[in-house]
Amino acid sequence: MADNIPDPQQQALFREVDEELRHEQMHKLWKQYGPVAIAVSVLVVAVVAGYQGWKAWQSHQHMADAQAYEQALTLADAGKDADALTALTALASKGNDGAVALAQIQRAVLLQKDGKTSDALGIYKGIATGKGDTILRSVAALRYALLGMDNGVSSDDINSLITPLAAPGLPFDHSARQVQALLALKEGRSDDARKLLQDLVDDASTPQGIRSRANILLQSLDSTPAAK
């Protein structure tokens, strides 16, 4: 399987998906488990001391997982990929379900960066087709599609994961529609690509970054005759 470098449009979408994952999911982890830790620490009643103790331990584990994940990202940002991969592998082996999926996605990012495309694709698809958090499954599906379209993954396989994400109102609908447009361009389906891109430009809810890239691609398409 060839390890091709994604074009600038794909690289931009990779970065956008990663930023949404980092900011939204980390906030979600802290908001979800922070109040639980506080509540458990103050609601210790003798008759349920054992139960509350277990809840406190569980909450502590979730917080520790979130901290471990953030520390691994800091290592990756500092260019210490090997250390980050070690930290993420450890978290993926013992963390809670959400932390495991987060760690696995970031492991795949580093493996992809290291040219281990098949390994990265396997991780992405495993998460995307699993039963975990919807946001994480969506992120994995988008990354699988972007990497896979240049590395031998069939259009049917990509569409089976991306099409459900493109429904209006879903968290990554605009990103999914842009992936569909990129796939149409790569397959020479200019009319389909043009329609998808124009819809993104006309949609008032489209994020500015995606709208700008859609405009650039439309201008490129408009410089050549539409397919008959």
Side-chain angles (χ1 to χ4, degrees):
M1 185 177 291
D3 293 336
N4 298 322
I5 299 175
D7 63 35
Q9 296 290 338
Q10 287 169 270
Q11 290 176 320
L13 193 49
F14 269 131
R15 288 193 297 271
E16 180 175 284
V17 169
D18 287 341
E19 284 303 309
E20 292 191 35
L21 170 64
R22 175 173 301 189
H23 293 118
E24 294 184 13
Q25 193 62 23
M26 282 303 297
H27 289 165
K28 180 179 177 181
L29 282 171
W30 287 105
K31 288 179 179 177
Q32 181 175 357
Y33 298 118
V36 174
I38 295 171
V40 169
S41 69
V42 298
L43 296 179
V44 179
V45 180
V47 70
V48 291
Y51 171 75
Q52 293 292 350
W54 174 79
K55 289 289 289 182
W57 175 85
Q58 185 182 52
S59 298
H60 173 75
Q61 289 301 111
H62 284 304
M63 295 291 283
D65 288 343
Q67 290 176 325
Y69 176 71
E70 187 172 25
Q71 289 167 358
L73 292 185
T74 299
L75 289 170
D77 288 342
K80 300 178 180 179
D81 289 357
D83 291 338
L85 193 56
T86 297
L88 290 166
T89 300
L91 180 57
S93 70
K94 65 180 182 180
N96 67 81
D97 290 345
V100 168
L102 279 169
Q104 286 286 64
I105 288 175
Q106 292 301 331
R107 280 187 68 236
V109 170
L110 293 177
L111 290 169
Q112 178 182 335
K113 181 179 176 182
D114 195 36
K116 297 178 180 178
T117 305
S118 295
D119 292 339
L121 284 170
I123 292 174
Y124 290 143
K125 187 169 185 180
I127 296 170
T129 58
K131 297 181 179 180
D133 181 87
T134 301
I135 293 292
L136 298 181
R137 290 173 58 196
S138 299
V139 168
L142 288 165
R143 291 200 65 97
Y144 177 78
L146 287 167
L147 183 60
M149 69 174 66
D150 280 333
N151 290 281
V153 175
S154 71
S155 297
D156 287 345
D157 194 4
I158 291 173
N159 281 321
S160 69
L161 294 178
I162 295 301
T163 299
L165 306 183
L170 292 182
F172 292 94
D173 59 336
H174 300 97
S175 295
R177 287 151 60 190
Q178 188 173 27
V179 169
Q180 290 177 322
L182 290 172
L183 184 60
L185 283 173
K186 288 182 178 296
E187 294 179 338
R189 295 183 285 111
S190 299
D191 285 348
D192 290 341
R194 183 179 281 104
K195 183 181 186 307
L196 286 163
L197 294 168
Q198 190 63 61
D199 286 346
L200 284 171
V201 171
D202 294 340
D203 185 345
S205 64
T206 299
Q208 185 56 46
I210 292 180
R211 179 180 286 106
S212 296
R213 288 193 291 277
N215 263 317
I216 291 171
L217 289 172
L218 272 176
Q219 290 170 13
S220 175
L221 279 171
D222 289 342
S223 67
T224 59
K228 299 295 185 181

